Amino acid sequence: MVPEPISPSTKSAAEVALYRGLKLLDAGWSVALHSLNLPEHSWKRVSEVDFVVIGPRGVYALEVKGGHIGCTNGVWTHRDRFGAERRRRESPFAQANDAMFVLQRRLEDIVGHQTMRHVPIGYAVVAPDCNLSSQVSVEWDEEMLIDRRQLDRPDGLQRGLGRLAAYWRAKPGARDRTLDESLINTIVQALRPTFDTVPTLRQIASAAEADLVALTTNQYRTLDAYARNPRTLVEGGAGTGKTMLAAELCRRAAAAGLRVLFTCRSQVVAGFVRHQAGMQAVQVAAIANLPETGAKLVDVIVVDEAQDIVNFTDLSRLEKLLVGGLADGSWHLFLDSNNQRGLVGSCDDEALSYLRSLRPTELVLRDNCRNTRQIVAATRRATGADTGVSSAGDGPQVTVVVDPDPTRQVAAVVAELDRLDENGIPATDITLLSPLPLQDSLFSRLPARWRSRIDVLDLSNLRRPSRGRVAFARVGDFKGLESRFVLLGDVDRAVPERTRSLYVGMTRARVGLWIVIGEQPGGSEIDL
């Protein structure tokens, strides 16, 4: 089932019921996709397929119509369980027919015409609340309908889909190929990225907003692994979407009726995640705020930036809260143990070895979805860290100003802020980062016209930044967060964590990165 579980925002009771029925099928079918968006239609701008079922016997689009269905003088009437009524001249069979042909064309474009040439593709209408099989029409054959009369039987859905497949495979055109596992996987991968999107963690967003992003193959694998494994260790560099995936995993676990805890070291990140869309049913707390209790309070624990809490002191706190404890309970840790450990909190190698002894599934995220190619390349040169392969495209070149004179450093910062302002970049898209507190950083010496516009990062201005204000944060406090444009300073003064501060600070930028330092950190060892 994709997605797994069904989205909690699904309003159709008929679709929810069919989802559950499909999930219980025990043979003959491999994958069911729910709510597949198609970017073309014979006369609408876009269209949607309620379900696509895929198996060795072919690919089939299912149009689901719950509630009352009627047709008078060519006008179809649909009335839901609340009494709301809609009328349309297009029949559900015509809708399903259009969806089938769009699906066929899209698969031929992506997978290849020759590959798809003999693959059976068809459609059916599923009416779980009505008995339509007593109605006869030239518009459909009985094999193209699965209604309540069939679904009331214990194996009704299995038999209905089998009859549907046999019907379409017998049609003229030699579309009777039996799909092997490899071809099924190819078709699923072609379809899935077009619809299974999850909310990102945008910095500039109100609590009600949800920016959607299509997941990469590696990110899909992470969510698929969660559905099959009680414990996972997910390694990924900055920009690979760990916080976004951790939040989505929480949503899915909560939608399945589990008690879920999301935790991390940062109070700001915890507060921000708490207000993301769909997180209302999830307990979110920084690890310092977890209750000191022996009661088993949660079924699943999800930890973001886990390299900050992989030590026996913090793990013992999680142990007390988790049903089954760490050894037998369900936990999922997202971490960057090579490049971000030690900046805040602590990561103990013995504690990490202990977690690995509990046989979690280990996954690695390699697609950098945040940083442009220029930022990825500059970070690799400066720190030696592998930040993955950028999928965010090209952006402006990274600018580095090296000047030992503090006055000229401040002048360079002012010139860059003025340039961004003149080019129409909103101040709320800009973040000033330093390993030092604001009062000790070079940004404290900005002229009043800019100094007065700085907001020190907290949850309130992170979620709802004030118009015309620029954010400031310490590098360690900004882990897990991001900004379109980052001005990074004082890294040469970050002793002894120069390289880690540089790595975290540089990788917070999504589009533009500008660095000012007094000297090359570490001398010739670090090449900016």
XYZ file of all heavy atoms in Angstrom, residues 76-135:
491
model
N -25.565 12.272 -14.170
C -25.246 11.399 -13.052
C -25.310 12.176 -11.748
O -24.857 13.320 -11.658
C -23.852 10.801 -13.222
C -23.799 9.759 -14.296
C -23.751 9.977 -15.648
C -23.826 8.348 -14.110
N -23.741 8.795 -16.317
C -23.781 7.763 -15.398
C -23.872 7.520 -13.002
C -23.792 6.391 -15.596
C -23.873 6.146 -13.180
C -23.838 5.592 -14.468
N -25.885 11.555 -10.722
C -26.022 12.163 -9.404
C -25.257 11.340 -8.384
O -25.400 10.119 -8.326
C -27.499 12.241 -8.976
O -28.235 12.958 -9.973
C -27.637 12.957 -7.643
N -24.467 12.016 -7.590
C -23.705 11.362 -6.527
C -24.058 12.052 -5.214
O -23.910 13.271 -5.089
C -22.195 11.469 -6.787
C -21.784 11.004 -8.146
N -21.628 9.680 -8.456
C -21.511 11.693 -9.284
C -21.271 9.563 -9.733
N -21.200 10.780 -10.257
N -24.544 11.290 -4.242
C -24.910 11.854 -2.952
C -24.143 11.129 -1.862
O -24.215 9.895 -1.732
C -26.412 11.725 -2.709
C -26.879 12.453 -1.433
C -28.395 12.587 -1.369
N -29.062 11.292 -1.357
C -29.846 10.835 -2.321
N -30.071 11.585 -3.401
N -30.428 9.659 -2.232
N -23.353 11.887 -1.058
C -22.523 11.259 -0.032
C -23.332 10.981 1.233
O -24.532 11.276 1.310
C -21.281 12.106 0.262
C -21.611 13.474 0.872
O -22.699 13.618 1.469
O -20.760 14.378 0.779
N -22.651 10.438 2.247
C -23.347 10.023 3.469
C -23.864 11.196 4.283
O -24.664 11.018 5.204
C -22.412 9.154 4.325
C -21.191 9.875 4.887
C -20.278 8.879 5.593
N -19.188 9.486 6.333
C -18.063 9.899 5.805
N -17.875 9.779 4.490
N -17.115 10.441 6.563
N -23.392 12.405 3.958
C -23.871 13.590 4.653
C -25.029 14.269 3.918
O -25.546 15.289 4.363
C -22.728 14.598 4.824
C -21.547 14.042 5.568
C -20.357 13.803 4.897
C -21.632 13.736 6.915
C -19.263 13.285 5.570
C -20.538 13.213 7.597
C -19.352 12.989 6.922
N -25.418 13.711 2.781
C -26.519 14.270 2.012
C -26.108 15.272 0.959
O -26.960 15.765 0.201
N -24.814 15.594 0.879
C -24.349 16.539 -0.147
C -24.441 15.870 -1.522
O -24.051 14.721 -1.692
C -22.910 16.963 0.135
N -24.966 16.598 -2.498
C -25.238 16.024 -3.823
C -24.463 16.781 -4.897
O -24.361 18.008 -4.874
C -26.737 16.097 -4.112
C -27.166 15.333 -5.341
C -28.683 15.251 -5.461
O -29.272 14.396 -4.775
O -29.253 16.054 -6.212
N -23.908 16.011 -5.837
C -23.216 16.593 -6.990
C -23.772 15.987 -8.263
O -24.112 14.797 -8.295
C -21.706 16.326 -6.905
C -21.000 17.092 -5.818
C -19.518 16.781 -5.827
N -19.272 15.369 -5.558
C -18.091 14.789 -5.721
N -17.070 15.478 -6.187
N -17.941 13.507 -5.449
N -23.851 16.807 -9.304
C -24.359 16.351 -10.593
C -23.298 16.568 -11.658
O -22.593 17.577 -11.648
C -25.630 17.120 -10.981
C -26.796 16.902 -10.025
C -27.953 17.856 -10.346
N -29.083 17.614 -9.463
C -30.093 16.809 -9.739
N -30.097 16.155 -10.895
N -31.081 16.637 -8.885
N -23.186 15.632 -12.590
C -22.247 15.782 -13.680
C -22.689 14.912 -14.848
O -23.320 13.864 -14.665
C -20.831 15.406 -13.238
C -20.671 13.989 -12.748
C -19.343 13.798 -12.028
N -18.218 14.330 -12.757
C -17.022 14.518 -12.217
N -16.813 14.238 -10.942
N -16.037 14.987 -12.939
N -22.358 15.359 -16.038
C -22.732 14.602 -17.237
C -21.746 13.478 -17.535
O -22.095 12.512 -18.217
C -22.834 15.548 -18.444
C -23.982 16.540 -18.305
C -24.238 17.279 -19.605
N -25.389 18.172 -19.467
C -26.655 17.788 -19.625
N -26.922 16.522 -19.918
N -27.634 18.640 -19.473
N -20.544 13.592 -17.034
C -19.548 12.545 -17.249
C -19.817 11.402 -16.284
O -19.892 11.595 -15.065
C -18.140 13.106 -17.028
C -17.034 12.097 -17.331
C -15.668 12.631 -16.959
O -15.563 13.370 -15.972
O -14.701 12.289 -17.647
N -19.949 10.198 -16.787
C -20.196 9.048 -15.930
C -18.906 8.623 -15.238
O -17.800 8.941 -15.701
C -20.727 7.870 -16.753
O -19.670 7.235 -17.452
N -19.007 7.883 -14.114
C -17.784 7.390 -13.472
C -16.989 6.459 -14.382
O -15.758 6.377 -14.271
C -18.306 6.660 -12.226
C -19.749 6.417 -12.475
C -20.218 7.518 -13.364
N -17.679 5.768 -15.299
C -16.975 4.889 -16.231
C -16.164 5.712 -17.233
O -15.052 5.339 -17.611
C -17.960 3.972 -16.945
C -18.626 2.998 -16.024
C -19.845 3.296 -15.444
C -18.020 1.794 -15.707
C -20.459 2.408 -14.575
C -18.619 0.903 -14.845
C -19.842 1.205 -14.267
N -16.726 6.855 -17.653
C -15.986 7.742 -18.558
C -14.771 8.338 -17.853
O -13.693 8.481 -18.443
C -16.899 8.848 -19.070
N -14.954 8.701 -16.568
C -13.827 9.203 -15.784
C -12.711 8.161 -15.719
O -11.529 8.473 -15.941
C -14.272 9.542 -14.361
C -15.135 10.785 -14.232
C -15.532 10.984 -12.778
O -16.620 10.644 -12.342
N -14.620 11.541 -12.011
N -13.088 6.928 -15.400
C -12.098 5.867 -15.291
C -11.444 5.579 -16.635
O -10.236 5.298 -16.710
C -12.754 4.606 -14.735
N -12.213 5.652 -17.713
C -11.676 5.425 -19.060
C -10.620 6.467 -19.397
O -9.532 6.143 -19.900
C -12.820 5.460 -20.076
C -12.334 5.255 -21.498
O -11.956 4.163 -21.886
N -12.342 6.331 -22.277
N -10.929 7.758 -19.130
C -9.944 8.819 -19.382
C -8.683 8.593 -18.559
O -7.562 8.748 -19.051
C -10.549 10.181 -19.046
C -11.391 10.739 -20.180
O -11.240 10.270 -21.319
O -12.207 11.642 -19.921
N -8.877 8.240 -17.283
C -7.718 8.026 -16.417
C -6.850 6.885 -16.941
O -5.614 6.957 -16.902
C -8.188 7.728 -14.991
N -7.495 5.832 -17.440
C -6.743 4.689 -17.951
C -5.850 5.099 -19.119
O -4.661 4.729 -19.179
C -7.704 3.587 -18.404
C -6.993 2.380 -19.013
S -8.116 1.216 -19.830
C -8.598 2.162 -21.284
N -6.389 5.884 -20.064
C -5.598 6.246 -21.237
C -4.473 7.231 -20.876
O -3.382 7.160 -21.439
C -6.492 6.819 -22.328
C -7.224 5.750 -23.099
C -8.601 5.632 -23.014
C -6.536 4.847 -23.892
C -9.277 4.631 -23.712
C -7.195 3.845 -24.588
C -8.569 3.738 -24.499
N -4.737 8.153 -19.939
C -3.670 9.044 -19.494
C -2.570 8.238 -18.808
O -1.375 8.443 -19.043
C -4.215 10.126 -18.542
C -3.061 10.940 -17.942
C -5.170 11.055 -19.283
N -2.980 7.289 -17.964
C -2.029 6.426 -17.276
C -1.185 5.649 -18.277
O 0.046 5.557 -18.162
C -2.790 5.480 -16.359
C -1.988 4.589 -15.417
C -1.223 5.422 -14.399
C -2.923 3.617 -14.705
N -1.821 5.134 -19.301
C -1.117 4.370 -20.330
C -0.092 5.243 -21.046
O 1.066 4.847 -21.242
C -2.117 3.797 -21.329
C -1.482 3.018 -22.475
C -2.536 2.458 -23.414
O -3.577 1.988 -22.979
N -2.264 2.539 -24.715
N -0.509 6.458 -21.446
C 0.415 7.354 -22.165
C 1.602 7.741 -21.281
O 2.743 7.787 -21.750
C -0.324 8.600 -22.639
C -1.269 8.360 -23.807
C -1.680 9.663 -24.465
N -2.427 10.522 -23.553
C -3.757 10.485 -23.415
N -4.467 9.600 -24.108
N -4.363 11.305 -22.584
N 1.325 8.034 -20.007
C 2.405 8.444 -19.126
C 3.411 7.308 -18.911
O 4.623 7.523 -18.901
C 1.841 8.905 -17.777
C 0.990 10.153 -17.856
C 1.791 11.363 -18.249
N 2.750 11.755 -17.230
C 3.607 12.747 -17.364
N 3.657 13.437 -18.490
N 4.431 13.052 -16.385
N 2.913 6.111 -18.739
C 3.810 4.978 -18.556
C 4.624 4.697 -19.813
O 5.816 4.365 -19.742
C 3.022 3.740 -18.143
C 2.533 3.727 -16.692
C 1.604 2.542 -16.450
C 3.708 3.685 -15.723
N 4.003 4.844 -20.979
C 4.749 4.649 -22.219
C 5.839 5.698 -22.373
O 6.947 5.400 -22.853
C 3.788 4.686 -23.414
C 2.894 3.445 -23.497
C 1.869 3.547 -24.608
O 1.728 4.646 -25.196
O 1.187 2.542 -24.889
N 5.544 6.944 -21.942
C 6.557 8.005 -22.028
C 7.728 7.740 -21.086
O 8.889 7.995 -21.430
C 5.929 9.362 -21.680
C 4.978 9.858 -22.761
O 5.048 9.339 -23.889
O 4.159 10.749 -22.454
N 7.427 7.253 -19.876
C 8.462 7.102 -18.854
C 9.185 5.766 -18.962
O 10.419 5.693 -18.947
C 7.852 7.266 -17.445
C 7.244 8.677 -17.291
C 8.901 7.021 -16.360
C 6.437 8.849 -16.018
N 8.420 4.692 -19.063
C 8.999 3.349 -19.068
C 9.434 2.934 -20.471
O 10.401 2.191 -20.635
C 7.996 2.327 -18.489
C 8.552 0.914 -18.514
C 7.630 2.723 -17.062
N 8.726 3.424 -21.483
C 9.057 3.074 -22.856
C 7.902 2.369 -23.552
O 7.267 1.469 -22.972
N 7.622 2.788 -24.784
C 6.491 2.215 -25.521
C 6.660 0.719 -25.729
O 5.707 -0.063 -25.560
C 6.346 2.928 -26.866
C 5.243 2.362 -27.717
N 3.910 2.628 -27.483
C 5.277 1.517 -28.790
C 3.171 1.986 -28.373
N 3.978 1.313 -29.177
N 7.861 0.298 -26.090
C 8.064 -1.123 -26.365
C 7.874 -1.967 -25.108
O 7.300 -3.058 -25.149
C 9.467 -1.364 -26.939
C 9.615 -0.953 -28.396
C 8.645 -1.709 -29.308
O 7.737 -1.115 -29.902
N 8.815 -3.022 -29.384
N 8.348 -1.441 -23.955
C 8.202 -2.176 -22.701
C 6.738 -2.315 -22.317
O 6.292 -3.374 -21.847
C 8.970 -1.476 -21.577
O 10.346 -1.372 -21.942
C 8.853 -2.235 -20.260
N 5.961 -1.253 -22.546
C 4.564 -1.241 -22.114
C 3.614 -1.793 -23.168
O 2.411 -1.921 -22.921
C 4.138 0.196 -21.759
C 4.848 0.795 -20.555
S 4.540 -0.145 -19.026
C 2.760 -0.082 -18.932
N 4.138 -2.128 -24.336
C 3.292 -2.466 -25.484
C 2.307 -3.586 -25.185
O 1.140 -3.525 -25.590
C 4.194 -2.851 -26.664
C 3.438 -3.184 -27.932
C 4.413 -3.509 -29.041
N 3.733 -3.903 -30.262
C 4.357 -4.325 -31.358
N 5.688 -4.386 -31.371
N 3.670 -4.675 -32.419
N 2.729 -4.611 -24.472
C 1.857 -5.757 -24.224
C 1.407 -5.861 -22.760
O 0.870 -6.887 -22.352
C 2.575 -7.047 -24.626
C 2.903 -7.111 -26.086
N 1.937 -7.135 -27.075
C 4.109 -7.135 -26.732
C 2.517 -7.181 -28.255
N 3.835 -7.179 -28.087
N 1.613 -4.783 -21.997
C 1.189 -4.795 -20.591
C -0.310 -4.529 -20.508
O -0.793 -3.521 -21.038
C 1.968 -3.733 -19.779
C 1.379 -3.594 -18.374
C 3.447 -4.096 -19.700
N -1.083 -5.398 -19.855
C -2.526 -5.164 -19.723
C -2.797 -3.936 -18.858
O -2.252 -3.788 -17.766
C -3.037 -6.434 -19.028
C -1.954 -7.449 -19.206
C -0.668 -6.686 -19.261
N -3.623 -3.029 -19.381
C -4.035 -1.830 -18.638
C -5.554 -1.707 -18.786
O -6.076 -1.780 -19.907
C -3.344 -0.561 -19.162
C -1.821 -0.688 -19.025
C -3.829 0.670 -18.410
C -1.053 0.530 -19.509
N -6.240 -1.519 -17.682
C -7.694 -1.407 -17.746
C -8.229 -0.559 -16.614
O -7.485 0.109 -15.898
N -9.563 -0.592 -16.438
C -10.174 0.213 -15.386
C -11.450 -0.448 -14.900
O -12.015 -1.334 -15.551
C -10.468 1.632 -15.873
C -11.555 1.734 -16.917
C -12.902 1.810 -16.556
C -11.240 1.766 -18.275
C -13.901 1.904 -17.512
C -12.226 1.858 -19.236
C -13.563 1.937 -18.847
O -14.545 2.022 -19.791
N -11.905 0.007 -13.743
C -13.190 -0.422 -13.192
C -13.725 0.682 -12.308
O -12.968 1.552 -11.835
C -13.033 -1.709 -12.388
N -15.028 0.648 -12.067
C -15.674 1.528 -11.099
C -16.011 0.686 -9.870
O -16.562 -0.413 -9.983
C -16.945 2.165 -11.676
C -17.731 2.910 -10.588
C -16.583 3.121 -12.814
N -15.653 1.205 -8.699
C -15.958 0.531 -7.441
C -17.033 1.349 -6.720
O -16.820 2.535 -6.424
C -14.709 0.391 -6.554
C -15.053 -0.335 -5.255
C -13.608 -0.355 -7.302
N -18.175 0.731 -6.475
C -19.304 1.391 -5.806
C -19.645 0.591 -4.553
O -20.559 -0.241 -4.566
C -20.497 1.486 -6.747
N -18.954 0.813 -3.450
C -19.118 -0.047 -2.279
C -20.448 0.106 -1.557
O -20.796 -0.732 -0.729
C -17.949 0.373 -1.377
C -17.600 1.749 -1.799
C -17.887 1.834 -3.256
N -21.214 1.178 -1.870
C -22.461 1.413 -1.153
C -23.705 1.122 -1.988
O -24.825 1.276 -1.490
C -22.513 2.874 -0.674
C -21.339 3.225 0.229
O -20.976 2.370 1.064
O -20.780 4.323 0.095
N -23.541 0.738 -3.256
C -24.684 0.563 -4.153
C -24.638 -0.794 -4.852
O -23.566 -1.369 -5.040
C -24.694 1.662 -5.233
S -25.000 3.310 -4.605
N -25.829 -1.265 -5.260
C -25.928 -2.436 -6.130
C -26.232 -1.944 -7.542
O -27.391 -1.684 -7.887
C -27.041 -3.381 -5.649
C -26.686 -4.056 -4.343
O -25.524 -4.301 -4.078
N -27.692 -4.335 -3.533
N -25.187 -1.790 -8.344
C -25.370 -1.297 -9.713
C -25.377 -2.423 -10.732
O -25.684 -2.187 -11.907
C -24.257 -0.308 -10.079
C -24.271 1.063 -9.393
C -23.136 1.912 -9.917
C -25.605 1.768 -9.617
N -25.029 -3.613 -10.293
C -24.901 -4.702 -11.260
C -26.243 -5.090 -11.880
O -26.277 -5.757 -12.924
C -24.263 -5.918 -10.594
O -24.972 -6.285 -9.426
N -27.350 -4.664 -11.265
C -28.656 -4.951 -11.856
C -28.958 -4.029 -13.029
O -29.894 -4.268 -13.799
C -29.758 -4.802 -10.797
O -29.753 -3.482 -10.266
N -28.180 -2.954 -13.159
C -28.374 -2.005 -14.249
C -27.564 -2.459 -15.468
O -26.422 -2.893 -15.339
C -27.920 -0.595 -13.831
C -28.572 -0.093 -12.560
C -30.074 0.001 -12.695
O -30.599 0.431 -13.721
N -30.793 -0.420 -11.652
